[in-house]
Amino acid sequence: MVIPKLTGMFIRNDITTADESTDEKTCWGQDEYNRVCRDMANAGMTIVIPQIGVTYESKDKQVFYYKQKQFNSTDEATEQEYRQLEYCLQAAKRNGLAVYLPLQLCESLWFQAVYDKFQTESSLQFLKDSADFSIKLADEMYERFMPVFSGQILGWYQPFEIDNGNLYDMQALNAFIEHYLAPVTNHLRQLLPNGRIISSPLLYTNLTDPSKMDMAKWCTMWRNMFLRTELDTLMPQDGAGWESATSDNLASWYRPTREMIDECNVYLKKQGRSPRVAFWNNPECYSMTGSGTMDIRRLLQNMAAVDDYVDCHISFSVHSLIPMEPRFLSGQANNKVYYDAYCTAQKLGYIPSTDVRTPTVSRTIFDTNNIRFNITKTGDALGFIMFRTINGIREKLKEISTVEGVSDYVLIDYQVIPGVTATYDIVAFDAFQNRSVASTFDITFPESVADGVADRSKALEMVNQEALSTGIPVQTLTFAEQSEGFYFQDDKAYTDRLTQHESYEPWWENRDKYAIQEGIYKDENGMAHFRIDLSDVKTVKAIGISFMQDRNASVRVPLRVRTEIDGVEFYTAEQPSIRGIDFTQPVGGNNSHKAEELWFWGFNEGIEGKQIDIYIQLEYDVFLFTNELIIL
């Protein structure tokens, strides 16, 4: 394998201004930017892209990362925040790096509008307002930064994450081009006639090769944008990184995309326009959960798989690879080791194979069918992986990273089926994903009732109402910060805070416990399954479970949800489930639900039972975020 190289990296401004351990904003200063840009240059990189010019939450609330002149009434930036772009440009100039200036990022508003396909009055107005705002930002940045940093500034980065799930719709695409992309990119071209205008869209490959229809829609979408606007650089993200793609299927997307871009350049030349459309790659090198950095072997393999089709690789983001102060690492505990490994591979021209020492491991069964492995670090391992084999099927359950100065670690499997015989392998790995010989355990678990998740029933003053906050055995999950109860009057729903509530930690503070793995309870129909034991026989009249729809192609609500009580079907809710109550709209009472929280509800005259089984069928192989489970 030819070792490809990173041409540059992104810096996400809001990540550089947060200490995850305290939730406090502690912005980078000039020294930190200098150190990061120095290490990028030492690794042979030549480009840095600060990802955000403005964090845009609403018309009345923005955080500017430069000192603006005309938005004082809405700017909520701190003194250090508004200097972030200047710090980055200064560090880039000092270390000979080029910079692409970023516009605004307004994730929640953008994904809501694109999910509506820009057909509602509010989402269409969002596009027009965004275009006006972007043009004003570009004018200000040009006036402020070009006199001093003209040698560093090579163009513009457009932060809207165009996705291949919603803009395939031609009406949505036409609206996006007409009301935002064309007027903004035309203006950017006037400011910098030779500057590049970059888009780094979402690419979700779902670990499969694309169909002819997939590629036709993808290429048609981008052909329209290149030929009808001044956008000139495509740099796919996500699918090219940690979360969704492997080197086996990346080329199936990139090869036809390269051909489409070459055809666009031929057409542009015939039309007397500059044939300047370029194809770059954005190999994200960290987990979206923030839990680890991609090993250098996989990063380089993914880059190599598309290297023949792209002009360069610019990775998101420096916080997952470049050494920096521990308080800014955002969960990436071993940046220096991964950075040194990347530089070593570049210097050698190949990925070295090294011996990794087998970890010292002991195990304990608790709560009948849960297994805990206590691991003592030996050697220079960067982390540990737990594999489980049942009936010949081997699954990777969990992976954790080591922390400097810490010797002892714990891996727990909370989702073991009672009565099964399982083989566990615990292996250590290094930055190149070289693995140790496994510590292996063959375990036969006793028969018991598997509750799937911890019983979180609450003792409530309200009669016959219980709320459980839980997660689903799929790839990713979240927990509501506060459970909510519902009561009903006619066709309307009302919410009340529960009078008593069992406190618990958010999942990200106890990730090992809550990150229930995909595929543990899968029936013959491929539905994820988990079980809740109510301890005593109860009369159940309603069950509701909510999921977060993140308005992009990676986070989707399920195709359907089916529940059973003591083996008797309670309901099956298809997507979307409203059942006379529109839970996509705010409801009355003390709490409201945002439009992106979707509920699957089932109602019944009342079924008595103790054991509730919930089956979840996904529409796509994507992430599922559960927010709340309510049992009434």
Side-chain angles (χ1 to χ4, degrees), residues 221-421:
M221 178 177 73
W222 287 101
R223 188 179 290 109
N224 269 271
M225 284 189 271
F226 292 140
L227 299 182
R228 296 167 59 187
T229 78
E230 289 296 319
L231 184 70
D232 60 21
T233 307
L234 168 60
M235 182 166 50
Q237 62 166 292
D238 286 350
W242 174 293
E243 296 297 341
S244 50
T246 68
S247 57
D248 295 334
N249 57 47
L250 275 172
S252 300
W253 284 86
Y254 278 64
R255 186 186 306 108
T257 304
R258 174 82 261 176
E259 293 171 356
M260 176 271 295
I261 286 176
D262 290 343
E263 291 169 359
C264 284
N265 280 324
V266 170
Y267 182 85
L268 289 170
K269 188 175 183 179
K270 289 180 178 179
Q271 297 301 310
R273 296 172 59 188
S274 174
R276 56 182 297 119
V277 181
F279 191 19
W280 296 2
N281 180 38
N282 180 356
E284 285 197 355
C285 56
Y286 76 106
S287 165
M288 288 174 68
T289 64
S291 59
T293 295
M294 182 190 293
D295 67 85
I296 299 304
R297 182 185 302 273
R298 183 179 171 194
L299 173 65
L300 294 176
Q301 284 176 339
N302 282 7
M303 291 165 61
V306 302
D307 201 44
D308 288 341
Y309 311 112
V310 299
D311 303 304
C312 67
H313 306 270
I314 298 180
S315 178
F316 181 80
S317 159
V318 298
H319 76 278
S320 61
L321 185 66
I322 305 300
M324 58 188 69
E325 292 182 24
R327 60 187 173 136
F328 295 122
L329 287 181
S330 302
Q332 321 305 314
N334 296 295
N335 278 33
K336 186 177 188 307
V337 182
Y338 283 107
Y339 173 81
D340 290 343
Y342 171 81
C343 293
T344 297
Q346 294 295 326
K347 182 178 180 180
L348 294 174
Y350 62 89
I351 299 172
S353 296
T354 57
D355 292 329
V356 182
R357 293 176 61 182
T358 301
T360 301
V361 184
S362 62
R363 56 89 166 174
T364 305
I365 296 177
F366 65 98
D367 292 342
T368 307
N369 64 315
N370 299 319
I371 182 77
R372 181 201 313 270
F373 295 97
N374 295 294
I375 305 169
T376 300
K377 176 182 176 181
T378 55
D380 297 324
L382 282 192
F384 307 100
I385 305 173
M386 175 169 62
F387 296 93
R388 186 185 66 192
T389 303
I390 298 177
N391 295 328
I393 299 175
R394 191 174 194 246
E395 294 181 283
K396 176 182 174 180
L397 295 188
K398 295 184 179 180
E399 178 178 323
I400 58 174
S401 298
T402 59
V403 178
E404 185 176 356
V406 177
S407 300
D408 298 321
Y409 300 87
V410 174
L411 281 169
I412 300 177
D413 183 5
Y414 285 95
Q415 293 289 301
V416 186
I417 301 173
V420 304
T421 296

Side-chain angles (χ1 to χ4, degrees), residues 99-102 146 152-157 188-189 192 194-198:
V99 177
Y100 290 84
L101 291 176
M146 282 301 292
Q152 275 62 56
I153 297 172
L154 294 188
W156 307 90
Y157 171 61
L188 297 179
R189 178 67 64 224
L192 286 176
N194 297 317
R196 288 214 162 273
I197 304 172
I198 302 169

Side-chain angles (χ1 to χ4, degrees), residues 45 60 64-65 134 138 179 193 265 287 359 521 532 550 569 602 615:
M45 301 181 203
D60 302 316
F64 285 76
Y65 296 107
S134 293
H179 298 294
N265 280 324
S287 165
Y521 295 109
I532 298 168
D550 199 24
E569 183 173 348
Y615 299 86

Side-chain angles (χ1 to χ4, degrees), residues 71-265:
F71 302 99
N72 290 327
S73 62
T74 60
D75 185 1
E76 298 194 358
T78 64
E79 183 73 14
Q80 278 287 82
E81 282 175 320
Y82 79 67
R83 301 180 69 181
Q84 295 297 294
L85 284 184
E86 183 177 354
Y87 286 153
C88 186
L89 285 161
Q90 291 282 10
K93 186 174 184 178
R94 174 177 294 187
N95 292 280
L97 302 179
V99 177
Y100 290 84
L101 291 176
L103 301 178
Q104 79 271 25
L105 182 69
C106 37
E107 287 182 306
S108 60
L109 296 174
W110 161 253
F111 283 124
Q112 174 65 57
V114 74
Y115 183 78
D116 292 337
K117 295 182 169 56
F118 310 122
Q119 298 306 300
T120 65
E121 183 178 344
S122 60
S123 61
L124 194 61
Q125 189 62 46
F126 163 79
L127 279 183
K128 297 174 182 178
D129 292 342
S130 295
D132 180 65
F133 192 81
S134 293
I135 288 170
K136 290 179 180 177
L137 290 185
D139 286 341
E140 274 203 344
M141 289 183 187
Y142 185 89
E143 179 184 350
R144 178 174 177 81
F145 295 127
M146 282 301 292
V148 179
F149 302 108
S150 59
Q152 275 62 56
I153 297 172
L154 294 188
W156 307 90
Y157 171 61
Q158 190 279 115
F160 288 119
E161 293 189 339
I162 299 166
D163 70 89
N164 52 310
N166 292 301
L167 284 181
Y168 283 163
D169 180 274
M170 190 54 69
Q171 279 188 302
L173 182 60
N174 286 336
F176 176 60
I177 290 174
E178 178 183 352
H179 298 294
Y180 180 81
L181 197 60
V184 171
T185 57
N186 288 341
H187 189 78
L188 297 179
R189 178 67 64 224
Q190 292 173 11
L191 291 176
L192 286 176
N194 297 317
R196 288 214 162 273
I197 304 172
I198 302 169
S199 176
S200 190
L202 306 175
L203 171 62
Y204 291 98
T205 68
N206 294 329
L207 296 171
T208 60
D209 289 335
S211 66
K212 290 184 178 179
M213 181 62 72
D214 289 332
M215 286 312 308
K217 292 190 293 186
W218 167 262
C219 290
T220 297
M221 178 177 73
W222 287 101
R223 188 179 290 109
N224 269 271
M225 284 189 271
F226 292 140
L227 299 182
R228 296 167 59 187
T229 78
E230 289 296 319
L231 184 70
D232 60 21
T233 307
L234 168 60
M235 182 166 50
Q237 62 166 292
D238 286 350
W242 174 293
E243 296 297 341
S244 50
T246 68
S247 57
D248 295 334
N249 57 47
L250 275 172
S252 300
W253 284 86
Y254 278 64
R255 186 186 306 108
T257 304
R258 174 82 261 176
E259 293 171 356
M260 176 271 295
I261 286 176
D262 290 343
E263 291 169 359
C264 284
N265 280 324

Side-chain angles (χ1 to χ4, degrees), residues 557-581:
V557 297
L559 182 64
R560 63 181 53 87
V561 175
R562 189 179 85 245
T563 63
E564 296 176 358
I565 297 180
D566 287 354
V568 178
E569 183 173 348
F570 186 79
Y571 75 91
T572 296
E574 304 288 339
Q575 179 195 70
S577 175
I578 298 175
R579 189 61 183 272
I581 303 171

Side-chain angles (χ1 to χ4, degrees), residues 519-551:
I520 290 165
Y521 295 109
K522 280 284 187 69
D523 65 12
E524 63 276 10
N525 297 315
M527 299 182 77
H529 170 209
F530 70 97
R531 175 173 294 171
I532 298 168
D533 195 328
L534 297 177
S535 301
D536 298 310
V537 174
K538 305 289 178 66
T539 299
V540 179
K541 293 185 177 181
I543 300 176
I545 186 167
S546 71
F547 302 88
M548 302 304 291
Q549 165 65 276
D550 199 24
R551 306 307 190 199

